[in-house]
Amino acid sequence: MVGRTHLVIGDAHSQPDVSNERFDWLGKMIVDLKPDVIVNIGDWASMDSLSSYDKGKKAHEGRRYVADIKHANDALDRMMAPLNKYNKMRARNKKEQYKPEIYHNVGNHEHRITKACDSSSELDGVMAVGDIRFEDSGTLVPFLEHVVVDGVAYCHYYTSGVKGYAISGDFIGRRVIQKLKCSGTMGHGHKFNYFMDTNAKGQFVHGLAAGCYFDHHMDYAGPDNQNFRPGLAVKRNVVDGDYDLEWVSLDEVKRRYG
C-alpha cells in the first residue's frame, strides 16, 4: 500500500535579527515536492521579546513583541507564497489545485505569549498566539497537545517524569517510542535523532526528533549549538505509523531552491 508523504519542519526560530530567506526556499521545496501533509513542529517564532532567560541583560535591549510577530508572519507568508502562486496559475488553467494538510504545533517559544498573559492579566485580550497567523494556512495544535496523522503522533515535545520535563538526552527517538508505544515525532531539542523498532503486533514504529530549520547561533545553547541538525524531514509512504525517512539538510535545501 502506497501511503502519503509528510514534510516535517523542525524548530524554525524566526527572529527579527536573522533573515527569513530560508522560508523562501522552504516554499519552493513544498511546491516541488508536493507533500500531502506539512507539519510545523513548533517554535516557528523565537519570541525573544518575551524571553525570561536574558531579561534585564544588555542582549534584551531593543526587542519588541510587534517585531517578533511581524517577522514570524513574514516567514509564514514566504513559505506559502510559492504555493499560492502555483494555485493561482492552476486556477487560471482550470486545473486541480494543490491543497496539503498543514498542522502548526505551538512550541514553548510561542507559548511565551500565553504565559505572559497569565502572569499579567492586563495583557489578556491584547496579545495572543493567534497574532501569529498560523490558522490562515492550517490547523493549530495547542502547546503539549499532539495530532495523529496517518498513525504518526506529532507534538512539539513529549514529557517524562512527574515534573513533566521534555524528553531529552542522546536517544530521544527511542524514548519517544517508549513513551507513546507508537510512532511519534517531536522537536524542541534541535538535534536530529531517529530510532525504529517493532511493537508487539510486529508493526514498525518510528521515533524521530526532527532537528531544526535554522543555522544561526543561539547564545543560550553555548557550544551545544554546533550539534544542532538543520534541515527538513521527509516521510514517504506513511501508512499506520510506518514510513520511509529522508533527511534533507538545510545546505541542500539552499542548493536546490536558493
Side-chain angles (χ1 to χ4, degrees), residues 38-62:
I38 300 168
V39 180
N40 159 26
I41 207 65
D43 283 0
W44 180 268
S46 277
M47 298 308 303
D48 290 336
S49 61
L50 301 178
S51 171
S52 59
Y53 166 74
D54 52 9
K55 189 174 182 179
K57 299 180 182 179
K58 185 177 180 180
H60 200 274
E61 292 179 7

Side-chain angles (χ1 to χ4, degrees), residues 157-160 165-173 175-176 186 188-189:
Y157 66 74
Y158 294 101
T159 61
S160 64
Y165 292 137
I167 289 175
S168 60
D170 294 329
F171 306 102
I172 299 176
R175 295 192 68 193
V176 167
M186 63 174 278
H188 187 63

Side-chain angles (χ1 to χ4, degrees), residues 14 18-28 71 74-75 78-79 213 250 253-254 257-258:
S14 170
V18 177
S19 170
N20 273 342
E21 188 178 17
R22 66 191 180 281
F23 298 100
D24 296 326
W25 313 334
L26 172 60
K28 293 176 183 177
H71 209 64
D74 176 69
R78 286 172 181 248
M79 181 185 78
Y213 191 62
L250 181 54
V253 175
K254 180 178 180 180
Y257 306 104

Side-chain angles (χ1 to χ4, degrees), residues 136-196:
D136 286 357
S137 58
T139 300
L140 189 69
V141 182
F143 182 54
L144 293 187
E145 293 187 18
H146 67 240
V147 59
V148 179
V149 188
D150 299 325
V152 182
Y154 291 99
C155 185
H156 180 61
Y157 66 74
Y158 294 101
T159 61
S160 64
V162 294
K163 292 187 177 181
Y165 292 137
I167 289 175
S168 60
D170 294 329
F171 306 102
I172 299 176
R174 184 171 186 172
R175 295 192 68 193
V176 167
I177 292 174
Q178 292 172 335
K179 170 75 175 182
L180 299 178
K181 309 299 189 294
C182 69
S183 292
T185 294
M186 63 174 278
H188 187 63
H190 304 166
K191 296 181 181 181
F192 174 89
N193 188 260
Y194 172 70
F195 185 79
M196 183 177 69

